[in-house]
Amino acid sequence: TFRALLLALIGTGLRVGEAMSLTRADVDLAESLLTVRDSKFYKSRLVPIGPRLTEALRVYAKGRPKPSSSGAQSPFFTRRGGTALTHRIVHWHFCKLRAAAGVRRDDGGRYQPRLHDFRHTFAVRRLVAWYREGADVQRLLPQLSTYLGHVHIGATQRYLTMTPELLNEANRRFERYALSEAYHV
């Protein structure tokens, strides 16, 4: 369960509470689509997912613990006894996994790595991918904002931490632009 939950967080940028709130009806693996209902700001949205995440969730769904309540509204991610996950349990497992993997911050940062950081990583990785694809990143930012469930693009900007990889891709884009302009002078 925890592996499938982490893959969902990494692969979609969902908030932890959104992923934990998914019901069986919200996870449409045939269409590779998640329905996030009444999340932050009481908004609902559709979240398309890629083929690798779809397959990982399909494998989890086949072998997951049977929910204690049956039906479409039972939780998708469940504990061994079939009950819904709690924030406390998920946080505890993440801290144990982080410690076992030796993942920690030693740079004086305020927080150790958190589950919410997967959301930040997802947003930055999406931008890097768009730069590499040659996409119009400025035009696509509102789509990323909608995908993440933000009301305003300013909320998405908080997630876009400048990483060396993102800076490198942005620099390449600017360099191509600047060099092409030099030849037109």
Side-chain angles (χ1 to χ4, degrees):
T1 296
F2 195 65
R3 178 183 184 277
L5 177 65
L6 285 179
L7 289 173
L9 294 174
I10 292 165
T12 63
L14 290 179
R15 296 173 182 99
V16 177
E18 291 173 341
M20 290 172 44
S21 296
L22 291 172
T23 65
R24 291 171 56 193
D26 295 332
V27 181
D28 184 347
L29 298 174
E31 295 296 323
S32 296
L33 195 63
L34 306 178
T35 302
V36 177
R37 300 180 194 281
D38 300 323
S39 67
K40 196 170 182 180
F41 308 114
Y42 307 102
K43 293 183 72 170
S44 296
R45 68 187 189 281
L46 298 175
V47 177
I49 58 175
R52 289 175 57 200
L53 179 56
T54 300
E55 183 56 28
L57 294 179
R58 185 174 285 118
V59 168
Y60 166 72
K62 285 180 184 175
R64 75 173 172 207
K66 298 296 179 220
S68 56
S69 61
S70 62
Q73 296 311 310
S74 63
F76 183 76
F77 295 109
T78 59
R79 296 172 63 184
R80 281 191 190 123
T83 58
L85 297 173
T86 65
H87 282 279
R88 193 180 109 241
I89 293 290
V90 170
H91 178 73
W92 182 83
H93 279 287
F94 180 69
C95 289
K96 297 287 275 183
L97 177 64
R98 191 182 68 211
V103 176
R104 62 175 291 107
R105 287 182 71 172
D106 293 323
D107 62 356
R110 186 172 171 188
Y111 300 105
Q112 288 300 320
R114 308 161 297 162
L115 281 164
H116 193 71
D117 293 332
F118 289 126
R119 190 165 163 82
H120 292 258
T121 301
F122 174 85
V124 170
R125 287 177 62 200
R126 175 64 1 228
L127 252 60
V128 168
W130 282 337
Y131 273 118
R132 288 181 177 159
E133 294 165 5
D136 183 347
V137 174
Q138 294 302 314
R139 184 182 61 77
L140 292 169
L141 274 175
Q143 292 179 24
L144 177 61
S145 187
T146 300
Y147 185 91
L148 291 172
H150 292 144
V151 176
H152 303 288
I153 198 164
T156 304
Q157 290 171 336
R158 294 186 63 219
Y159 287 83
L160 303 179
T161 307
M162 188 55 69
T163 64
E165 189 177 25
L166 181 56
L167 182 60
N168 186 38
E169 293 302 326
N171 282 339
R172 285 184 198 193
R173 172 75 56 92
F174 181 74
E175 188 176 273
R176 282 192 301 271
Y177 168 78
L179 289 176
S180 69
E181 289 297 310
Y183 295 114
H184 296 293
V185 176

